[in-house]
Amino acid sequence: MIESSLKLIADSAPFLLKGAGYTVGLSLGGMFFGLILGFTLAMMRLSSFRALDWTARIYISFFRGTPLLVQLFMIYYGLPQLGVRLEPLTAALIGFSLNMAAYAAEILRAAIASIDRGQWEAAASIGMTRTQTLYRTILPQAARTALPPLGNSFISLVKDTALAATIQVPELFRQAQLITARTFEIFTMYLAAALIYWVLASLLAHLQNRLEARVNLHEKDA
């Protein structure tokens, strides 16, 4: 029993690892574009223009208040009714990016808002513009505060990519489903997939801890 299960895992490893490649790619892409959009939303939330603030609030509320699975279905299955057809991988990347942006926006907003107002005033007193103050003084400090929750969000995103299987993206979980349908070895294949997710999440957690330690060390030295 054990030997046959191990053989099945070994034979299926190329397909599972190929799926893991899609998982990593979707995670990195979703985080990258999510951070860009999230930063824009955070700036809108901190803006003195109420229209920008409320637009960002509504966006964040919607994407944090609705299931990611529903959002993926709206993009992949719903948009074709409006004349917009997307490939599964593209639809998944857009969905993960839009969802991640909502969480990243609040993390970045809170981190920026946590910086003492005196920092802005001190920078203004030496002739720095608000833009210069933001990029040279505020963001480097806010990044240290935002790093842990952003790292946790990225780890969650890696696991959430399994939802892309529902729109036919051949990521890790989808590959396990396809192999299971052919071999009927349900427990073995899903356990193998779970172990790969676990390894990916553990590696990311280790990298996050190393990065946080380095940032904290530089902060103490400064």
Side-chain angles (χ1 to χ4, degrees), residues 43-87:
M43 292 296 97
M44 292 171 65
R45 285 280 284 108
L46 295 170
S47 172
S48 58
F49 295 99
R50 293 183 63 83
L52 292 178
D53 178 24
W54 277 101
T55 298
R57 284 175 181 267
I58 293 171
Y59 177 100
I60 293 168
S61 177
F62 177 82
F63 280 94
R64 293 180 67 186
T66 56
L68 176 55
L69 182 60
V70 174
Q71 296 164 22
L72 290 175
F73 273 46
M74 287 175 61
I75 294 170
Y76 185 66
Y77 295 112
L79 287 182
Q81 294 187 344
L82 302 179
V84 180
R85 295 186 179 276
L86 300 172
E87 293 296 320

Side-chain angles (χ1 to χ4, degrees), residues 27-174:
S27 301
L28 291 174
M31 191 67 184
F32 176 76
F33 292 112
L35 280 176
I36 293 175
L37 179 56
F39 178 73
T40 302
L41 290 167
M43 292 296 97
M44 292 171 65
R45 285 280 284 108
L46 295 170
S47 172
S48 58
F49 295 99
R50 293 183 63 83
L52 292 178
D53 178 24
W54 277 101
T55 298
R57 284 175 181 267
I58 293 171
Y59 177 100
I60 293 168
S61 177
F62 177 82
F63 280 94
R64 293 180 67 186
T66 56
L68 176 55
L69 182 60
V70 174
Q71 296 164 22
L72 290 175
F73 273 46
M74 287 175 61
I75 294 170
Y76 185 66
Y77 295 112
L79 287 182
Q81 294 187 344
L82 302 179
V84 180
R85 295 186 179 276
L86 300 172
E87 293 296 320
L89 186 61
T90 303
L93 180 58
I94 291 174
F96 292 134
S97 299
L98 294 177
N99 184 268
M100 174 55 64
Y103 291 91
E106 284 299 275
I107 292 172
L108 294 172
R109 180 198 62 79
I112 293 171
S114 70
I115 306 302
D116 189 87
R117 292 294 304 176
Q119 301 273 359
W120 294 92
E121 296 168 0
S125 69
I126 60 175
M128 293 177 64
T129 65
R130 286 187 64 84
T131 301
Q132 289 175 327
T133 302
L134 177 65
Y135 286 98
R136 296 182 182 180
T137 304
I138 304 302
L139 286 183
Q141 298 178 70
R144 290 194 289 268
T145 303
L147 181 59
L150 284 176
N152 292 336
S153 294
F154 184 50
I155 293 173
S156 295
L157 177 60
V158 171
K159 295 178 290 184
D160 287 342
T161 57
L163 294 174
T166 61
I167 58 172
Q168 313 306 314
V169 176
E171 48 72 61
L172 176 56
F173 183 60
R174 179 60 178 167

Side-chain angles (χ1 to χ4, degrees), residues 204-219:
L204 288 173
H206 176 70
L207 290 175
Q208 178 185 348
N209 291 335
R210 291 285 299 274
L211 185 57
E212 288 180 21
R214 175 172 292 187
V215 169
N216 291 333
L217 179 62
H218 289 171
E219 184 177 9

